[in-house]
Amino acid sequence: MKIGVLAIQGDFAEHIVMLKRLGAQAVEVRLPAHLAGLDGLIMPGGESTTIGKLSVDYGLLDPLREFGKTHPIWGTCAGAIFLSKDARRAQPLLGLMDITVRRNAFGRQVDSFEADLTIPELGEGGPYHAIFIRAPIIESVQADARILCTLSDGRIVAARQGKLLATSFHPELTNDVRFHEFFLSLAY
Ligand code: GLN
């Protein structure tokens, strides 16, 4: 299993550590040519405006869109924003996933928080401890996109559309490998 991690900004290194722990080959993606031969791609948290603008500069926008039509892509936090069709403001987006997101929906850096989530797709092992850092909310899912998980107040924080995944939180910053395992299962 060879998984790329978009490595132009944000916490891509933590995703690479997780993938290696699970025995997958992890490849840093900075240019279109780096997508060749990958079984899937993770787009990390960071700053979605920066990731979008640099993707334009590096000629990655269309190659990433093409890749996502036939391969699994998982966006965490800023990566989820970049994956979406609508971030309610003008910034470069891949527009692959039929979700509307609202950036920084929980407030500023000091309003970052952690929460225990119930995610049936992750199977046994109890609640999933999730870390939210200036996180977006998934305001709505459209077409055949499905809600994977909400906070206790009903706000959507994870969604899936076929082999595309979006999470508001950061599984790469925990010790729990279940979300990365779930993504790898989509790439098989
Ligand atoms: N606030 C960032 C954005 O809107 C996302 C933060 C993150 O990835 N942790 O792009």
Side-chain angles (χ1 to χ4, degrees):
M1 185 85 2
K2 196 171 167 187
I3 304 294
V5 182
L6 190 63
I8 48 184
Q9 194 265 336
D11 71 337
F12 53 87
E14 285 79 358
H15 276 294
I16 288 172
V17 169
M18 280 296 229
L19 290 168
K20 287 185 174 162
R21 267 175 71 181
L22 292 172
Q25 201 184 330
V27 177
E28 293 184 3
V29 171
R30 293 195 177 81
L31 294 169
H34 299 158
L35 292 168
L38 297 181
D39 299 304
L41 178 77
I42 296 178
M43 306 196 299
E47 200 59 47
S48 59
T49 319
T50 308
I51 291 173
K53 285 182 176 169
L54 289 173
S55 293
V56 172
D57 290 350
Y58 296 163
L60 272 165
L61 224 47
D62 283 334
L64 287 172
R65 286 179 181 136
E66 285 306 311
F67 185 86
K69 284 182 191 165
T70 48
H71 296 84
I73 300 185
W74 173 20
T76 59
C77 206
I81 296 166
F82 189 41
L83 195 54
S84 76
K85 278 226 156 88
D86 184 1
R88 298 167 133 276
R89 54 192 277 174
Q91 68 183 77
L93 300 174
L94 293 183
L96 282 168
M97 234 182 131
D98 291 295
I99 57 175
T100 299
V101 300
R102 186 153 50 89
R103 293 179 61 184
N104 304 322
F106 299 97
R108 305 172 51 158
Q109 195 76 21
V110 292
D111 302 308
S112 298
F113 65 101
E114 303 185 12
D116 285 326
L117 306 175
T118 304
I119 309 177
E121 278 74 5
L122 300 187
E124 304 295 314
Y128 188 86
H129 191 71
I131 299 174
F132 295 81
I133 304 168
R134 289 204 307 125
I137 275 178
I138 301 170
E139 280 191 333
S140 63
V141 301
Q142 300 103 37
D144 57 346
R146 297 281 174 269
I147 296 168
L148 270 188
C149 168
T150 63
L151 294 173
S152 54
D153 62 9
R155 286 184 287 183
I156 306 165
V157 289
R160 172 181 179 182
Q161 186 171 20
K163 289 178 181 270
L164 303 176
L165 283 182
T167 56
S168 299
F169 47 90
H170 287 273
E172 73 283 10
L173 298 182
T174 67
N175 249 328
D176 192 335
V177 294
R178 282 180 291 165
F179 224 107
H180 286 78
E181 271 172 343
F182 176 55
F183 179 68
L184 289 180
S185 76
L186 300 182
Y188 268 112

